[in-house]
Amino acid sequence: MKPFAVRDALVVEPEQDLKELLTTILQPPSWAIHYVATNNKALQAARTKSFDLIITSERTSAKEDVDLLGKIRLVRPHTRLIILAHESTPNDVLAAMRDHAFSFFSKPYSLEQLGHIIQMAAEGEVWDDGIELQSATPEWIRLEVRCQVRTADRLLQFMKEITDIPEAEREQVGTAFRELLLNAMEHGGGLDPDNYVGVEYVRARRMVSCRISDPGPGFTLDEISHAAVA
């Protein structure tokens, strides 16, 4: 048999359910999973070896993990790093986005959704962030997003972590947001990764507003006779 490249994942102090999830997604012999006990050990390992994926521990805080992310990206600028945290604030999530984390989950989170994001990180051969934060506070966020479905799914997870509304409404808003974003990416951006859509999110005391703009030529109502509005 011809030799093949083995990809490496680094995981900090995982819970048992995460270990089991990882063994179903990052399967040998294609993947080798390395475990360390602390963020300091993870930083030491990343300085000596390049890892294809790094996952932090949910026992650490988001601030600790964002600090680790910044230090790792100084030496490994394109590393995919997924933050798991036992607690976080919207500002922590924005800091992770600014430093180009691959994704972010705080407890409680869905193992199914985490598995989807890990699968996405494992399958992507070439990765560059695709989410460019232009200006941000928890109440007002403006960013540019590459026209890719996987980038839309990554952004949706970040927005779930930022949005401080009840769970039922959060799911409804998330579904509507994803549909609007994918429409903009497909019909305005042609799912071309060289194209970007603009997203502006505003959170007021009694209102959430999201505005999405795409690079397409636009349309008139006369051109969409098939739509329900006609």
Side-chain angles (χ1 to χ4, degrees), residues 73-86:
R73 288 190 70 85
L74 289 175
V75 291
R76 308 288 182 186
H78 298 292
T79 299
R80 300 174 176 92
L81 189 144
I82 298 174
I83 290 178
L84 306 184
H86 69 82

Side-chain angles (χ1 to χ4, degrees), residues 114-136:
L114 175 59
H116 173 65
I117 293 293
I118 292 174
Q119 187 83 46
M120 193 186 309
E123 291 178 349
E125 295 182 1
V126 178
W127 175 72
D128 197 1
D129 182 64
I131 301 174
E132 301 298 333
L133 204 60
Q134 297 181 325
S135 57

Side-chain angles (χ1 to χ4, degrees), residues 60-206:
T60 51
S61 69
K63 290 185 184 301
E64 293 174 286
D65 292 347
V66 171
D67 180 63
L68 173 66
L69 170 63
K71 291 176 179 177
I72 287 179
R73 288 190 70 85
L74 289 175
V75 291
R76 308 288 182 186
H78 298 292
T79 299
R80 300 174 176 92
L81 189 144
I82 298 174
I83 290 178
L84 306 184
H86 69 82
E87 61 179 8
S88 70
T89 67
N91 281 322
D92 293 329
V93 183
L94 291 172
M97 293 175 69
R98 193 174 289 113
D99 284 350
H100 302 297
F102 189 84
S103 194
F104 190 111
F105 291 81
S106 63
K107 296 186 73 173
Y109 56 80
S110 162
L111 273 178
E112 181 180 359
Q113 177 62 14
L114 175 59
H116 173 65
I117 293 293
I118 292 174
Q119 187 83 46
M120 193 186 309
E123 291 178 349
E125 295 182 1
V126 178
W127 175 72
D128 197 1
D129 182 64
I131 301 174
E132 301 298 333
L133 204 60
Q134 297 181 325
S135 57
T137 68
E139 295 78 28
W140 180 59
I141 301 170
R142 190 173 69 187
L143 43 82
E144 297 283 327
V145 189
R146 180 178 286 123
C147 290
Q148 291 176 307
V149 174
R150 62 188 182 189
T151 307
D153 288 340
R154 288 179 53 231
L155 177 60
L156 182 59
Q157 177 58 35
F158 281 119
M159 298 304 291
K160 283 182 178 179
E161 292 290 335
I162 292 171
T163 305
D164 59 342
I165 57 178
E167 183 63 26
E169 285 85 352
R170 185 183 306 179
E171 289 299 320
Q172 293 170 356
V173 170
T175 299
F177 175 75
R178 187 177 188 275
E179 287 300 312
L180 290 168
L181 185 60
L182 289 179
N183 279 339
M185 288 180 170
E186 180 181 0
H187 300 294
L191 292 178
D192 182 347
D194 290 330
N195 288 332
Y196 284 73
V197 299
V199 176
E200 188 169 4
Y201 168 88
V202 177
R203 172 74 165 104
R205 191 164 63 93
R206 296 180 180 275

